[in-house]
Amino acid sequence: MVKVYCARCKKETDHVHLHDAAHGIPETHMAGSERYECTACHSGIYKEDAQGLNLRFILD
């Protein structure tokens, strides 16, 4: 979990690192699904929207 500014909440909140599994198969990764999700409002920050936030995207 990391603290990042959430544009929807308009403040710094906790975000969890998530990704979707390909066809529900455990330990796989659906391309383009890696994101950091706000624990307060559940909005996602995807790689293309994360400029300057210093977030690591290791799967996409």
Side-chain angles (χ1 to χ4, degrees):
M1 197 168 325
V2 296
K3 281 210 178 277
V4 180
Y5 179 80
C6 176
R8 184 182 283 171
C9 293
K10 306 261 189 267
K11 62 181 179 179
E12 195 171 89
T13 59
D14 289 328
H15 283 67
V16 292
H17 182 248
L18 300 171
H19 72 280
D20 298 333
H23 305 289
I25 302 168
E27 298 186 30
T28 62
H29 170 252
M30 184 71 74
S33 70
E34 186 176 17
R35 65 200 176 277
Y36 285 83
E37 190 172 283
C38 177
T39 58
C41 72
H42 304 289
S43 66
I45 300 173
Y46 292 85
K47 188 175 187 176
E48 54 275 353
D49 301 325
Q51 300 292 22
L53 294 178
N54 201 23
L55 296 172
R56 287 185 38 183
F57 289 85
I58 54 175
L59 300 173
D60 280 350

